[in-house]
Amino acid sequence: MRIYDAGKIVTGLAIFIVLMTSPFWLSGGKSSFPPEIKIDTPVIEGLAEKRCIEATAYMKAKHMELIDRWRQVVVREGESLYVASDGKQYRMSLSHTCLNCHSNKDQFCDRCHNYAGVKPACWSCHVVPQELKG
Amino acid sequence: MLEKALSGGRRYWTWMAFLVILLGVGFSFYLRQLDYGLGITGMSRNVTWALYIAQLTFLVGVAASAVMVVLPYYLHNYRGFGRITILGEFLAVSAVLMCLIFIIVDLGQPARAFNVLLYPTPSSILFWDMIVLNGYLLLNILIGWTVLSSERKSVPPPVWVKPLIYISIPWAISIHTVTAFIYAGLPGRSFWLTALMAPRFLASAFASGPALLILLCFILRKFTRFDAGRESVQMLAKIVTYALVISIFFVLMEIFTVFYSQIPEHMQPFKYLFVGLEGHYALVPWMWSAMVLAGLGLILLINPRTRQNETLLGIACAAVFVSLWIEKGLGLVVTGFIPSPLEKITDYSPTGPEILITLGVWAMGSFILTILYKVAVSIKEELEA
Amino acid sequence: MKSTRRTFLKIAGLSLLGVGTKPVFDALAEVEVAKALKAPEALGAKRWAMAVNPKKCSSGCKDCIEACHRVHNVPDFGNPKDEIKWIWNEPFKDAFPGQEHAYIEESFKEKPVIVLCNHCDNPPCVRVCPTKATFRRKEDGIVMMDYHRCIGCRFCVAGCPYGARSMNYRDPRPFIKAIQPDFPTRTKGVVEKCNFCEERLARGLLPACVLACKEKALIFGDLENPKSPVRELLRKNFTIRRKPELGTNPQVYYIV
């Protein structure tokens, strides 16, 4: 059996392998660990029960869907109060409810988002109250 | 068949390289526009549609003009157009593609363009515009490519192409009618609020499109062995002539209605265009140039002696094309915003980045047109050998 | 067989489509619909409307404009090209084109007339929006903007006969004097306009412009409530609206 253009094939294959394994050899063989997010803000410390508006596992998996649903309801359906699964009511607001407890956006939201390479577009419009000067 | 576009002489590759460079420059300025915002253009609070939408409006007409070769050939068996229907269809593909790209380039949030599909809104003409433009693109790609490849293999085209061709004829009319409806239904813009908008669009489309097609045939005759034939060029010229006459007639109708009724709101935009309004006369030289060019084109085209002289015909077609590009482009779009609903006159002139982005899109369209024409012409040359 | 490769590719394509259906389905599935309510203090109406009394405006006063633009983080670009405004004033001849004449009452000639989005009952902007990013609330008639959905096509700007809408041609953030955290800013590439302060109404507050006016030139209320302040004014005064002949049915009434 003859291989045609063997030189080109082998060169191409070599380049491919180098490119595909680049994440491993570029990081020098070190592992990178999931980010450590801080929830020790003053407001959270002051809470009786350290629980978000829904269970932590639910928030971890579905906070994006929840926020997406909130913006749909607040803007398009004109309602402003969310009734959580435990019956408590919260104002549907990223800046005033979520960021009220999680006032350390850069040590909470940003840590995971940066690690996962996610750039939510929310912040181009929604104000982070803690980032305002004065 | 695309491999035909991968081989060519030095002039071919130089032309393609030139287009790619223009495209690259345009694209890099588009990246700057994405970063800075549409403020990088000359648009303002009052003049919110300008050069990009003007190109879209004009090019929809060029795209629709493919019907002017398809209709006589397929509906009335006019054999003379047999060899150039493919040129008309491929011109339509390139023109519609440019339209779609100009729309994207003009959006403030292009990443959200998919929202038009996710939240269909039949009350909005833009929704229908999206449907008809994309449909027309698909139709012409399918029809052109299939018919050409059947021709190459010397077999009749598959049965399903015929109904598509018949659909493409009213569809061509629809793309320009729908685009006209974008303007003609807005209660606050009296310059556009005329029932003649769609007819005017169609008339100027059937003048400018075939004029361009004639010029392209001349170019092909000069640089390739493909000759469209004197008869088909002369028939196209007659189509341009009649369409130009009707187009000019329609404009004169507008001018009569506006100036005989003496309604200030209707007169103001026309005054702005032709004599200036309250000291603003930026578009006046452009409009009069367009009128002169249209007149020149008309004289050369109406007289059969000059029409049959191919040099003079070429000049006439170029004049008609440029004249309608001015009149249906900036002349139509920007003037709809002048004066504003609050009687303000805001001048508009395109900025450098805006012009370069526009040229980049034209380069992209020309690039695609060149590839498609290279394929078509190579195959025709091959068949005739 | 001549077409084995083609057949293989066709089958591969179809399989990919089939394999991809479930993940797409899962991705598009919505979060379980939890309940949502209006806040108890929210102000409600069947038809919000505004009455403007230009006679009460003092020339040079910009209280309502500054209040609105401050509360809503409206940027000031410093040039008329990029300008964004939700509420502003115009001379009578420009607010009511065609109504002016040479012998008009002196006080009207120079009087600034406050203009803003009219929150029409038959809004052309809503008709033309391809994504329903601008929509009319059936419950109270406010013409809303959904800045999340707007693609920035500016068809609504072309459609509005009143020039009420502004496009964000640049990033507005650096040009907002003092960002108020209570209301988001907008981003480049979307169109914005007055929203009748619907976010304040939801919290039981009247619109910022209405409260800021010391002369009480702006009156806000429920048009369908015969006892509302707007209806009182409409009963007692002759009122006109901007460009009524266009059929937009605007809901800002001007006392002349």
Side-chain angles (χ1 to χ4, degrees), chain B residues 39 41 106 109 112 124 344, chain C residues 90 128 147 150 154 169 188:
Chain B
T41 69
D106 186 67
Q109 287 274 343
R112 298 182 187 172
S124 168
K344 307 278 186 291
Chain C
E90 293 280 355
V128 297
Y147 300 111
C150 176
R154 281 119 50 231
Y169 283 113
K188 66 177 186 283

Side-chain angles (χ1 to χ4, degrees), chain A residues 28-41:
Chain A
K30 289 196 298 282
S31 332
S32 92
F33 294 95
E36 195 197 326
I37 52 176
K38 300 242 179 277
I39 51 169
D40 54 355
T41 62

